[in-house]
Amino acid sequence: METRFDLMSNEIGAKLAKRFANVAAVLHASALPQSTQELVSLRASQINGCAPCVDMHTKEAAAAGESAVRLNLVAVWREATVFTEAERAALALAEEGTRLADAHQGVSDETWAQVRKHYDDDQIAALVTLVAMINAANRMNVIVRNQGGSYQPGMFAAAVAN
């Protein structure tokens, strides 16, 4: 399968990518733990079948010290013992916020209560935005058929600086 369109080589696409990178920088600087951010991004990307995002978030998490065991168990987090209650709440929110078409009720009251239990308002703002942004990134990558496998940790850091 071949990439259909290079968003980064298009003027509008490059401008939009920079805005995405700026939002990512705000999220990265937030009080939401970086490990939680990577796990959430990885899970949404798995659900959406976004190879470049699975590639990126697996490698970024590993580079930040996340264990291979936890990364390998993200897809089956409900049946794994390696995630905290707070991480489970974030992963549930990621799944329910990603599967809107499959679960028309959206995020359940039970999941929302768990998120409220474990995260403060600033962290929740970051978490909700993260779920929305990773889903948007997943969709763009899947639509243009971007491929996974070539990502190197930190390679998009320059996009924020420019």
Side-chain angles (χ1 to χ4, degrees):
M1 201 173 356
E2 180 174 314
T3 300
R4 291 177 170 155
F5 183 78
D6 183 359
L7 283 168
M8 297 302 288
S9 68
N10 174 272
E11 182 180 351
I12 296 295
K15 286 179 182 178
L16 292 169
K18 181 174 172 129
R19 299 318 182 268
F20 259 77
N22 287 335
V23 172
V26 172
L27 293 170
H28 185 77
S30 76
L32 185 64
Q34 192 59 42
S35 60
T36 301
Q37 292 184 43
E38 295 299 344
L39 295 173
V40 162
S41 295
L42 176 56
R43 185 63 190 125
S45 300
Q46 290 170 335
I47 292 166
N48 289 324
C50 183
C53 290
V54 168
D55 186 31
M56 177 193 324
H57 294 291
T58 300
K59 290 175 180 174
E60 287 290 350
E66 190 61 70
S67 76
V69 169
R70 283 170 41 95
L71 291 174
N72 289 329
L73 290 172
V74 167
V76 292
W77 64 270
R78 282 185 176 83
E79 293 80 27
T81 61
V82 298
F83 301 104
T84 67
E85 284 188 35
E87 289 167 338
R88 289 176 174 285
L91 288 165
L93 182 75
E95 284 192 1
E96 292 175 23
T98 297
R99 292 188 161 136
L100 295 177
D102 299 338
H104 64 279
Q105 77 275 8
V107 175
S108 69
D109 290 340
E110 179 183 330
T111 294
W112 189 254
Q114 287 300 307
V115 167
R116 292 295 300 165
K117 177 181 174 182
H118 294 288
Y119 297 101
D120 65 27
D121 287 353
D122 289 346
Q123 291 171 317
I124 290 171
L127 185 56
V128 168
T129 302
L130 175 63
V131 171
M133 294 300 291
I134 192 60
N135 273 279
N138 291 164
R139 282 154 174 74
M140 288 189 296
N141 280 312
V142 170
I143 289 167
V144 300
R145 289 187 179 158
N146 280 334
Q147 306 293 297
S150 63
Y151 183 81
Q152 297 298 316
M155 72 185 269
F156 291 134
V160 178
N162 293 331

